[in-house]
Amino acid sequence: MSKPSPKSWPKLAAPVGETFPLARLHVQVLGWIESHARAEEPWAVAVSGGADSVGLLLLLWAHFPKKRKKLLVLHFDHATRPDSADDAQFVEKLAKDLGARFATARRTSSGPASESVLRDARWKFFREQMAVNKTRIIFTGHQRDDIAETMLMRIARGSGASGLCVPRPVQDFADGIFVLRPLLDIPRHELRGALQSAGAAWHEDSSNAEDVYLRNRVRKQVIPVMRAVLGARDLDTGAARSRAALQDDDDALCALTNDVYGDLPTGEPLSLARFEGQPPAIWRRAMWRWLNQNGLKENLNANAVQTLLDALLSRQPGRWSAGPGRWLVLNETTLALTGGEASATTSWKPITFQAGTTINLPKDMQLTSRVVAVDKKLLDNLRRGKIDPSIQACLALPKKSKPGNFQARPWQPGDRYRPLGAPGSRKLQDLFTDKKIPLKERYVLPVVCNEDDEPLWVPGLPPAHALRVTPATLSALELTYGPR
């Protein structure tokens, strides 16, 4: 952790901006801002408190004066360190001095967690705040050194051009969010040197010195050795050039794939005839697009994907599991998704219901719902585990609003939610396996969802953490599952 800044943050931004004029920011980011940014929308900025994100915020403040009042500083406390709350206070003071809005949240569980769990929790918070503040744009502080680290980790995973060209300067997601990374041409040591020269402070994350996470090990143990071995060759400059070239190749191949793929409705088999004579790179992207379109990406590991691609290229018919009750079937003409042996169990249709009603479900079961007041007895029963999640759940209802509609539907592979007390979201498939719930029973159990089709409870599993009942909750939706 560096010493407190002796000057106000606006005064510190000016010399940092002079060290890195606007032209030093990534040209693709600047081009995107000029062509697509809207004058009225805020810019979200992810700021951890480290040197990279602090430098990013100061440069945005220095080079885009018309946006100063529209900057939204987002800080997520991963709660992995005892002193992490100090980071939030530091970033809040920084945002306040710059006249920017500030929002923060803390992970409900503390202590160590996997990189994927921390990333999911962080981005869930970012997306929530971006929706509330009506912005599509978020800036992150990735800089040039991050490229080589990421590339090495992706190589170990067997990634192709699509995976090796990250982090991209401009990244767009299916939900309309754009991630902008303007510092990708700036080395870490230059950025920190500029902050030190200006007298700017930042908070050094002590976990960066540990070997718990793969990125830390690559940064501390692999990158220095590579630089020493390469000698005069600049690893970071070379990696940045390779990333840019791979992005160009990937963009071109994706455009060609789109032309060949055409408009294929979800659920339709993938016709092999349209890709006849195309190179493997087009087949690979078409297969990935089809798997993603049909919600199968998370159901197949890297080995399964490679096996499927090899079969496609060699036209070898086969049948592979795509999750419980679902099968990928390849023949001479198509790649299709079938229901397999569990198709008969998934025939019941979703049922929409309101609080205070009872609905009939398969296997002569029913689901009863009612609104109850949250009192001391209910809180005690919840705290002592006296409410059996196999047959009953209580979900907190918003204050001063009607419960709205709910839905009970069959489980779909790919469904996931955050169970009560869990550090992050999990797939229902994994939870079913943990609880040893048989395959046939999984398709009979109702998945209770909200109006956005987000799972809230399945009999036998804990309710959703987001709707947990607390002493501040006034009313709850009580759900009871049992025979008719």
Side-chain angles (χ1 to χ4, degrees):
M1 184 184 298
S2 58
K3 296 180 180 179
S5 300
K7 308 174 185 177
S8 67
W9 282 108
K11 291 182 179 179
L12 294 173
V16 177
E18 291 173 1
T19 302
F20 300 108
L22 191 63
R24 286 293 305 273
L25 302 186
H26 201 283
V27 63
Q28 291 181 22
V29 174
L30 296 177
W32 191 94
I33 290 173
E34 183 176 354
S35 301
H36 301 288
R38 301 166 186 166
E40 71 280 1
E41 71 180 331
W43 286 359
V45 189
V47 181
S48 66
D52 300 343
S53 59
V54 169
L56 168 68
L57 181 59
L58 294 179
L59 286 171
L60 292 176
W61 193 91
H63 291 311
F64 299 95
K66 292 183 179 179
K67 280 292 182 181
R68 290 175 180 174
K69 297 298 183 182
K70 292 185 177 295
L71 293 177
L72 170 65
V73 175
L74 300 179
H75 174 83
F76 186 76
D77 182 353
H78 293 108
T80 57
R81 297 174 285 115
D83 60 347
S84 63
D86 295 339
D87 298 346
Q89 295 176 5
F90 169 77
V91 176
E92 182 176 15
K93 177 65 164 57
L94 167 59
K96 182 180 179 181
D97 284 358
L98 293 176
R101 284 179 290 167
F102 174 75
T104 187
R106 180 180 171 87
R107 186 166 65 99
T108 53
S109 300
S110 59
S114 69
E115 290 176 279
S116 61
V117 166
L118 297 178
R119 181 178 60 250
D120 289 347
R122 178 171 66 249
W123 276 99
K124 181 177 184 295
F125 165 69
F126 289 165
R127 279 183 156 85
E128 290 172 347
Q129 288 299 316
M130 292 175 72
V132 169
N133 290 277
K134 298 180 180 179
T135 181
R136 308 164 296 149
I137 301 170
I138 183 168
F139 290 82
T140 67
H142 293 88
Q143 34 71 24
R144 197 181 67 174
D145 295 48
D146 291 317
I147 295 174
E149 296 168 4
T150 303
M151 191 172 288
L152 288 173
M153 292 189 292
R154 292 296 182 102
I155 287 173
R157 287 169 48 181
S159 297
S162 299
L164 294 175
C165 70
V166 297
R168 286 174 171 252
V170 178
Q171 182 179 11
D172 62 309
F173 289 90
D175 58 0
I177 284 182
F178 292 87
V179 182
L180 305 183
R181 302 180 176 97
L183 306 185
L184 284 180
D185 285 338
I186 299 177
R188 178 184 287 125
H189 73 274
E190 285 191 29
L191 187 60
R192 294 191 172 207
L195 292 176
Q196 289 174 336
S197 296
W202 68 83
H203 276 206
E204 197 69 55
D205 187 339
S206 58
S207 66
N208 288 337
E210 301 173 353
D211 293 336
V212 176
Y213 299 117
L214 175 60
R215 183 175 292 274
N216 289 353
R217 297 196 296 273
V218 170
R219 180 180 300 163
K220 292 171 54 184
Q221 301 174 25
V222 179
I223 295 292
V225 174
M226 289 193 68
R227 286 178 177 151
V229 169
L230 291 172
R233 293 188 179 184
D234 189 334
L235 169 65
D236 300 293
T237 298
R241 288 173 179 167
S242 293
R243 190 216 64 77
L246 287 164
Q247 178 180 318
D248 290 342
D249 292 347
D250 185 55
D251 288 346
L253 289 168
C254 286
L256 291 172
T257 303
N258 291 340
D259 291 341
V260 180
Y261 193 95
D263 185 15
L264 183 65
T266 300
E268 289 292 319
L270 181 66
S271 172
L272 307 188
R274 68 174 69 189
F275 300 101
E276 203 65 47
Q278 297 292 337
I282 302 298
W283 282 89
R284 181 184 296 108
R285 284 163 175 77
M287 182 188 72
W288 267 115
R289 178 171 172 179
W290 186 81
L291 292 172
N292 281 331
Q293 188 176 348
N294 289 281
L296 298 172
K297 183 178 178 181
E298 294 185 355
N299 296 74
L300 303 174
N301 60 30
N303 290 333
V305 170
Q306 187 61 49
T307 298
L308 180 59
L309 178 62
D310 291 343
L312 278 171
L313 294 174
S314 61
R315 312 297 191 276
Q316 292 293 322
R319 186 170 181 261
W320 301 270
S321 173
R326 304 174 88 191
W327 297 90
L328 287 169
V329 179
L330 175 65
N331 57 34
E332 292 79 3
T333 59
T334 60
L335 174 64
L337 176 65
T338 68
E341 299 173 352
S343 58
T345 67
T346 62
S347 59
W348 64 283
K349 297 181 179 180
I351 303 171
T352 300
F353 67 93
Q354 293 182 332
T357 60
T358 297
I359 58 174
N360 292 328
L361 298 168
K363 302 296 182 182
D364 294 322
M365 301 297 283
Q366 67 180 19
L367 182 71
T368 300
S369 62
R370 67 186 185 115
V371 177
V372 298
V374 176
D375 54 17
K376 185 178 182 299
K377 181 179 179 181
L378 176 60
L379 291 171
D380 286 343
N381 287 339
L382 289 169
R383 184 168 56 252
R384 296 178 182 179
K386 291 186 176 182
I387 293 181
D388 184 356
S390 65
I391 59 173
Q392 197 169 66
C394 288
L395 306 173
L397 294 174
K399 296 179 181 178
K400 299 180 181 179
S401 66
K402 296 181 180 180
N405 292 325
F406 297 88
Q407 180 183 225
R409 60 164 174 81
W411 164 60
Q412 301 170 0
D415 278 342
R416 64 188 305 140
Y417 80 121
R418 180 185 176 186
L420 181 66
S425 65
R426 295 192 65 193
K427 290 193 291 187
L428 291 186
Q429 176 181 334
D430 295 336
L431 294 168
F432 286 149
T433 301
D434 292 346
K435 295 291 185 180
K436 295 181 171 55
I437 296 175
L439 175 60
K440 292 184 177 180
E441 188 177 343
R442 299 177 191 183
Y443 285 98
V444 176
L445 289 172
V447 179
V448 179
C449 303
N450 59 17
E451 292 180 307
D452 295 324
D453 199 36
E454 297 170 331
L456 303 177
W457 177 60
V458 181
L461 302 180
H465 188 85
L467 295 185
R468 63 192 181 279
V469 175
T470 71
T473 306
L474 300 180
S475 58
L477 178 68
E478 181 188 82
L479 299 171
T480 305
Y481 179 69
R484 298 180 194 174

